[in-house]
Amino acid sequence: MAETIISLRHVTKRFGEGAAAFQALRGVDLDVARGDFVAVMGPSGSGKSTTMNILGCLDVPTSGEFLFKGVHVENLDRDQRSLIRRRYLGFVFQGFNLLARTTALENVELPLLYRGEDRNTRRKLGMAALDKVGLADWAGHTSSELSGGQQQRVAIARAIVTHPDVLLADEPTGNLDSERSVEIMELLTDLNRTSGITVLMVTHEIEMARYAHTIIRFKDGLVDRA
Amino acid sequence: MLGASLLLAFREIRRHLLRSFLTVLGIVIGVAAVITMVTVGNGVTASVRNQISALGANTLMVIPNQQGRAAGSAPVRPFLIADVDAIREQVGGVKAISGQAQASVSAVHNGVKWTTTVSGTSDAGMDVQNLALTSGRRFTDGEESAGNAVCIVGATVRKNLFATEDPVGQQLRLNSISCSVIGVLKERGQGGGGNDQDDVVLMPLRAAQRQLIGNQNIYLIVIGVDPAYDNATVGADVERLLRERRHLGPDQDSDIRLIDVKQITDTVSSTIGVMTSLVAAIASISLVVGGIGIVNIMLVSVTERTREIGIRLAIGALAGEVRLQFLTEAVVLCSMGGAIGIALAFVLSFFLTQLMKVDFAMDPLVVVGSLGFASVLGVVFGYVPAQRAAALNPIEALRHE
């Protein structure tokens, strides 16, 4: 068994206070091994998005422990969590979330800009990432000139340009037709296999979940072990 | 990190060119207004200063006056040539002095008639008043003491009576006497009150008094003060001497008036300076209004770009980097606005000063100051929106539609 890269220990999350409080997570225990491809499934409100936000270091648990590469993320402040995202995580969203009126290459280069890479390195790595998703010829096109599938591939290129340890994908095929969805899944599978990136993907569709090695189901704020 | 922020700022401004331009319009107008006002104001000050000092900067003028506040009750007591001599001999610091008397005459040459003013003066008086000649010569001592009928004509008189002909050596009839023209005055243009300073004929004082005016009265004494002496001190000495000669007791009101040209220059300059500052202050209000426009647009921009900020935060931008990005954007916008404003001010001031016929000189301090002020405005007015952007929760920002 490979090393454990992500580990949640009895994580709870409560939103709001008093009578309006909502218990989103009721004690989640979860381990993800390096190099795994995990599909996260479950109905709305089951806690999968909340868990993904915590795993993405965008949110902190109300109680419990979150170890990322052995570091207790629950104790880190906002900027420290930003630095973890910057160095080790890549995000792919359902709505692509590319910057408008910005070329594919500039979008892909964005994380490198925050890493302080110089212009030539940005260009080289950016083009390499675009090449990996098969869009090297589209580098100069702005988001609005790309199809949905292409936009998602640019988003994936942006997520992997920094060679992250973990790729977090939130319903990456949710806005795409089945043909494009298959392309995206094949791309993620390929990245997982060839680059060894750990992939965590939320999906509603069991066809997409079948690409993963592991399927985790959420129900009522807990991991459904059934 | 600052380099990256600058890059992002320029990209963002380029992406929204029209919006960026409208945002900075207030700053552009504000900076242009301030610089233009100050430049034109300085030009007017310089021109007025030049005009007044053309009278002679170190000049005192003494005129007989009504005594005290009882205006109109008694006739004005004129000075006499003996008063002029007394000042010359008894007051220290008097470099040159001349009594003057004037009369309105009709001048005739070759059948052309022109009504002008004859001013009785002297060679020393011409020195004090910076009167230069374009041709001919000035009065000699002999002519002054003998009261010869010689005269020097102003440019307007020359133009009207002699046309293209050289007046020097010609005869000019003034009322009933005839005098020979020995020189022509250099053109001086309009005086402070809008009167034509070139519409004049100069004669030796004694000649003017005897042959045209018919009395020995002097209604103006001009004194050139030695630069090593203080105008005020010399003025006080002159006044003391004249009071004595006019038998005024220490408790009696003075019946003479002293005008210090230097003091007038300073007063007028400082008045225009105050007016310039006032107008510049009013213009700078538009700078502040422009700055508020920036806050407004930046706040809208933060809301509009909430999702973008969410993306930046998700891929690992620190709150400080997001803040710096928006702050840089505001500062870059304001500085660009400032630069455009300076260019606009340059053009505007140039044409305005040309139109008003005053000196054009942009004060580099004002230019640099305005640019700096515009940048500071960027920081001040960009801070609140930048802070708001940096404080966004990435999860909610990403969810923002």
Side-chain angles (χ1 to χ4, degrees):
Chain A
M1 185 69 190
E3 68 165 302
T4 302
I5 188 163
I6 285 170
S7 182
L8 295 182
R9 289 281 164 269
H10 206 73
V11 164
T12 71
K13 181 70 186 181
R14 185 176 32 215
F15 293 105
E17 292 293 325
F22 170 67
Q23 191 75 29
L25 298 180
R26 299 166 188 280
V28 173
D29 289 295
L30 183 68
D31 286 297
V32 177
R34 181 184 283 281
D36 203 352
F37 188 155
V38 180
V40 178
M41 301 191 77
S44 312
S46 62
K48 61 182 192 307
S49 293
T50 306
T51 306
M52 287 296 275
N53 286 339
I54 291 172
L55 293 179
C57 299
L58 294 167
D59 209 348
V60 282
T62 307
S63 71
E65 294 178 350
F66 166 29
L67 285 115
F68 179 78
K69 295 175 78 141
V71 173
H72 279 275
V73 176
E74 76 272 11
N75 296 332
L76 300 181
D77 66 21
R78 203 184 139 150
D79 277 352
Q80 287 169 323
R81 282 185 277 120
S82 282
L83 291 176
I84 290 195
R85 292 199 293 275
R86 181 186 295 188
R87 283 183 201 143
Y88 306 114
L89 305 181
F91 287 88
V92 176
F93 307 95
Q94 180 179 358
F96 320 139
N97 278 339
L98 298 180
L99 298 187
R101 304 195 208 185
T102 305
T103 66
L105 183 60
E106 280 173 352
N107 264 296
V108 174
E109 283 181 356
L110 199 59
L112 300 171
L113 206 57
Y114 287 113
R115 282 190 162 205
E117 304 288 0
D118 65 48
R119 192 186 160 84
N120 289 334
T121 313
R122 287 205 302 270
R123 173 141 304 225
K124 206 179 75 194
L125 294 176
M127 284 310 293
L130 276 176
D131 189 44
K132 205 173 266 182
V133 300
L135 286 178
D137 295 339
W138 296 79
H141 289 70
T142 60
S143 311
S144 56
E145 294 167 346
L146 300 172
S147 71
Q150 286 172 321
Q151 286 190 49
Q152 192 60 300
R153 281 193 279 161
V154 172
I156 291 171
R158 181 179 66 191
I160 61 165
V161 72
T162 57
H163 300 289
D165 289 316
V166 178
L167 185 70
L168 294 139
D170 187 2
E171 299 200 42
T173 60
N175 287 8
L176 300 175
D177 61 35
S178 53
E179 207 175 320
R180 299 304 141 226
S181 298
V182 167
E183 281 176 22
I184 294 297
M185 290 317 299
E186 280 169 354
L187 180 57
L188 289 179
T189 306
D190 181 54
L191 288 170
N192 172 247
R193 199 175 53 234
T194 59
S195 309
I197 298 176
T198 310
V199 180
L200 280 162
M201 175 184 74
V202 172
T203 182
H204 276 116
E205 299 160 274
I206 188 69
E207 301 82 40
M208 303 303 142
R210 286 209 180 97
Y211 284 88
H213 309 147
T214 313
I215 297 179
I216 298 173
R217 289 173 197 279
F218 274 79
K219 195 181 173 187
D220 298 330
L222 287 167
V223 175
D224 190 359
R225 303 281 171 193
Chain B
M1 180 145 136
L2 191 64
S5 298
L6 275 173
L7 180 67
L8 289 171
F10 277 116
R11 273 188 194 167
E12 196 55 40
I13 290 165
R14 198 188 59 208
R15 247 171 243 146
H16 304 277
L17 218 50
L18 182 64
R19 189 185 72 189
S20 304
F21 176 70
L22 291 175
T23 307
V24 301
L25 200 56
I27 298 286
V28 171
I29 293 173
V31 168
V34 170
I35 299 180
T36 306
M37 287 306 145
V38 172
T39 306
V40 172
N42 286 348
V44 171
T45 309
S47 301
V48 170
R49 215 170 231 289
N50 286 341
Q51 268 180 22
I52 298 178
S53 33
L55 295 174
N58 289 315
T59 306
L60 291 174
M61 294 196 245
V62 195
I63 13 185
N65 201 12
Q66 298 283 354
Q67 187 174 18
R69 281 174 212 85
S73 61
V76 171
R77 278 200 289 166
F79 303 119
L80 294 170
I81 196 70
D83 294 320
V84 177
D85 294 338
I87 294 171
R88 185 187 299 118
E89 281 151 24
Q90 295 175 37
V91 176
V94 173
K95 197 174 71 177
I97 184 166
S98 172
Q100 298 194 345
Q102 294 188 329
S104 181
V105 298
S106 49
V108 180
H109 174 75
N110 267 358
V112 188
K113 194 175 145 191
W114 180 253
T115 305
T116 185
T117 306
V118 162
S119 183
T121 183
S122 64
D123 199 45
M126 290 180 69
D127 275 339
V128 176
Q129 292 180 296
N130 285 338
L131 299 179
L133 301 182
T134 51
S135 65
R137 60 170 180 86
R138 310 223 301 207
F139 308 125
T140 62
D141 286 350
E143 283 163 350
E144 279 178 19
S145 51
N148 288 358
V150 288
C151 57
I152 296 172
V153 296
T156 303
V157 175
R158 186 196 63 74
K159 211 179 308 165
N160 284 290
L161 292 181
F162 296 94
T164 52
E165 190 182 357
D166 183 7
V168 177
Q170 308 268 352
Q171 290 294 311
L172 181 63
R173 213 160 65 89
L174 298 171
N175 287 353
S176 58
I177 66 149
S178 174
C179 74
S180 21
V181 179
I182 58 164
V184 179
L185 282 178
K186 199 174 152 204
E187 194 164 336
R188 293 208 293 162
Q190 288 207 332
N195 58 318
D196 183 357
Q197 298 183 79
D198 300 316
D199 190 5
V200 72
V201 176
L202 304 183
M203 282 181 84
L205 177 63
R206 184 160 294 176
Q209 284 176 331
R210 278 191 195 150
Q211 304 186 33
L212 286 167
I213 304 171
N215 61 43
Q216 306 289 307
N217 296 343
I218 289 172
Y219 287 96
L220 171 65
I221 301 175
V222 291
I223 302 170
V225 178
D226 187 328
Y229 287 75
D230 182 33
N231 278 15
T233 318
V234 175
D237 289 347
V238 169
E239 182 156 13
R240 199 175 308 119
L241 176 66
L242 286 174
R243 282 179 69 98
E244 204 177 288
R245 292 179 61 81
R246 291 156 83 87
H247 310 294
L248 289 175
D251 49 348
Q252 276 182 290
D253 285 330
S254 177
D255 65 353
I256 59 171
R257 198 149 72 92
L258 248 152
I259 300 166
D260 182 347
V261 172
K262 195 182 208 166
Q263 199 188 333
I264 296 176
T265 313
D266 291 347
T267 309
V268 172
S269 299
S270 86
T271 306
I272 298 174
V274 168
M275 294 300 288
T276 304
S277 310
L278 186 69
V279 175
I282 294 170
S284 61
I285 291 174
S286 63
L287 259 182
V288 175
V289 174
I292 292 168
I294 294 217
V295 186
N296 201 354
I297 299 282
M298 293 293 288
L299 280 176
V300 171
S301 161
V302 167
T303 311
E304 197 182 270
R305 289 157 66 188
T306 299
R307 185 189 276 265
E308 175 204 319
I309 295 162
I311 297 167
R312 291 182 190 279
L313 290 169
I315 63 173
L318 301 177
E321 289 169 325
V322 171
R323 183 168 50 230
L324 186 66
Q325 184 196 336
F326 276 81
L327 216 48
T328 311
E329 235 179 272
V331 173
V332 168
L333 270 177
C334 284
S335 308
M336 283 169 81
I340 298 172
I342 288 170
L344 193 63
F346 189 85
V347 175
L348 276 178
S349 323
F350 182 76
F351 282 109
L352 276 175
T353 48
Q354 292 291 305
L355 203 70
M356 295 168 73
K357 295 192 171 65
V358 299
D359 298 344
F360 169 70
M362 267 175 120
D363 187 350
L365 202 68
V366 173
V367 172
V368 172
S370 303
L371 195 59
F373 187 56
S375 308
V376 170
L377 278 182
V379 175
V380 171
F381 291 116
Y383 190 78
V384 171
Q387 191 55 40
R388 182 171 290 192
L392 284 176
N393 176 334
I395 299 169
E396 279 162 21
L398 281 170
R399 226 181 268 144
H400 191 268
E401 291 302 324

